[in-house]
Amino acid sequence: MELAQSRESVVEYGFRRSVVTTAIIIATLLEIVDVTIVNVALPNIQGGFSANVEQAAWIGTGYIIANVIIIPITPWLQTRFGRKQYYFASILLFTVASLMCGLSQSLNELIFWRIVQGTGGGGLISTSQAILVNTFPRDKQGMSSAIFGMGVVVGPTIGPWIGGLIVDHYSWREAFFINIPLGIIAMLLVAVYLRNPEGPRKIPLDGVGLALLAIGIGSLQYVLDQGNQKDWFDDGWIVAFSVIAALGLCAFVLFELLVAKRPIVNLRILRYRSVTAGSLLGMCLGVSLYGTVLVLPQYVQGSLGFTATDSGLLLMVRAAPLLFLMPLSARLATSGKFDARWQVATGFVLLGISNYLVATKTTTGSDFGNFVIPLMLSGLGLSQIFVPLTLSVINAVEPRDVPSATAFFNLARQLGGSVAIAVLVTLLTRQSAAYHTSLAAQIHLSRPAVADYVAHNGGPRSESMVTHLNGLVTAQSMVLAYADVARATAYLTLLVTPFVLIMRRAKRATAFVTE
């Protein structure tokens, strides 16, 4: 009864709910869109500071390491400092760090402020979801999840387009300055309209658990971000950090389960099979979502000659079905007349088919129109995944465990994105090299087509001809590698689909969040 009263005390209606929802949408998009915008602007930032690829990579690595460390401890931070206070502080930290990133005069200064920005950003996602669930009445939980889902799924889609506009027309510094007015608006709305379900509570800090978590997950993120550039386990630092990550995470799990009296992360939430399976599916969702955002722009810009803005517009095609169909998906998931697990399974199948179709369209002669149907199919699939999957997770747990469940779910999706970047970039690099070797071996004058091409373009002794042939082989190798990456993503998506059946059937949405 006490939990229900706490929950009802922050349910909003009418104008106030609209304002709180607006603030949450702005804050959610701040964090999610910023990552993709900065990724698009990264080559310009690298050139601005005359940094090599390895040095510039820390602009993203530092941010994500801070992000993934903060996400799992957000339930503790919300309880200790009060949800409203913590959320306001996270937006403030993110906004100030964005300003300082844009004003940075050296690469090291920029990396430092990106770490600070990641610390603020990590507090936004899980907290945003918890606030929305609290703000909407029980019969509107599907709509709250749809609103949050549109931010999470549409954000990575519109980010490259915004980043492309900035890169093509402005300085890379605007990639950070764009956050400032939005951050100020979100802070003002939160300060005036957001209410706490309850005030801050003094609870002891699990310092050992926090240290082990930071060491373990920070080292893991370093390995994922830097592994491909350092040729993975051929590099001593990657081996060392892999060992540290394994030992740190094992020690963290044992300490939290067996020793800690007040664990900073509630690992026992994984006793709910829906949370475990949902987190695994969330990780796969992150792989497919962020993998497409990573690979497709590289392909269309590098192989087809698209501008950064054009590649961003291509990804916007996927956003259209999401915007129109996600509210319908939420209504269906909360109706109680249909097993939401089949929505999720259908969404993953459509997503897998979409990725496979992208692979078939990945050629040196493709154009914008070739990818419209696959990407719209991807949007259709994504619209059927996020809301039913989220509701299946949060409705499977006790009310007091919802913040922990959403933290695990969001962490899994974030790590899925990191795994996507690490694995898919490695696959792209190695497949490209393998195809280059294979295709180059077939370029010899005994083949009539090759001999005819050489004879009409400068002859076999022309140095420019050798360079030109190598360029053709390299371009074709990259296209074949991109197609392999799309197929691998499709196979993974289809492979994990049966895990949906591990989850319990969600009842009509009645979940609510309290601290």
Side-chain angles (χ1 to χ4, degrees), residues 1-11 134 138 197-198 201 398-401 403 512-515:
M1 187 67 178
E2 190 173 312
L3 288 172
Q5 288 174 347
S6 176
R7 189 240 180 267
E8 296 299 336
S9 67
V10 290
V11 172
N134 248 166
R138 298 179 186 181
E198 61 179 28
R201 283 190 286 145
E398 297 294 329
R400 65 178 178 276
D401 291 327
F512 52 89
V513 179
T514 55
E515 295 294 348

Side-chain angles (χ1 to χ4, degrees), residues 373-420:
I373 291 178
L375 287 176
M376 291 192 72
L377 192 63
S378 173
L380 175 61
L382 287 169
S383 72
Q384 300 305 306
I385 293 174
F386 193 87
V387 175
L389 184 58
T390 302
L391 291 176
S392 294
V393 170
I394 64 177
N395 280 288
V397 303
E398 297 294 329
R400 65 178 178 276
D401 291 327
V402 171
S404 297
T406 57
F408 266 103
F409 182 64
N410 287 299
L411 176 64
R413 193 184 65 254
Q414 183 76 292
L415 287 176
S418 298
V419 170

Side-chain angles (χ1 to χ4, degrees), residues 2-3 19 48 84 86 101 124 134 146 162 194 208 220 225 255 262 283 287 316 350 357 379 385 452 482 491:
E2 190 173 312
L3 288 172
V19 173
K84 176 178 178 177
Y86 174 62
C101 283
L124 296 179
N134 248 166
I162 297 173
L194 185 62
V208 175
L220 174 63
D225 277 4
F255 183 83
R262 295 295 297 268
M283 180 173 286
V287 171
M316 289 284 284
L350 290 174
L357 289 177
I385 293 174
D452 183 64
Y482 283 125
Y491 296 149

Side-chain angles (χ1 to χ4, degrees), residues 32-33 69 72-73 108 176 200 254 324 329 475:
I32 294 175
V33 173
I69 290 173
I73 65 173
N108 288 337
F176 297 106
L254 292 174
F324 288 105
S329 172

Side-chain angles (χ1 to χ4, degrees), residues 436-453:
H436 191 282
T437 301
S438 176
L439 292 175
Q442 301 177 47
I443 306 296
H444 47 77
L445 294 176
S446 62
R447 297 176 66 92
V450 176
D452 183 64
Y453 184 86

Side-chain angles (χ1 to χ4, degrees), residues 311-325:
S311 69
L313 283 173
L314 182 61
L315 289 176
M316 289 284 284
V317 172
R318 184 173 65 177
L322 281 168
L323 292 172
F324 288 105
L325 296 176

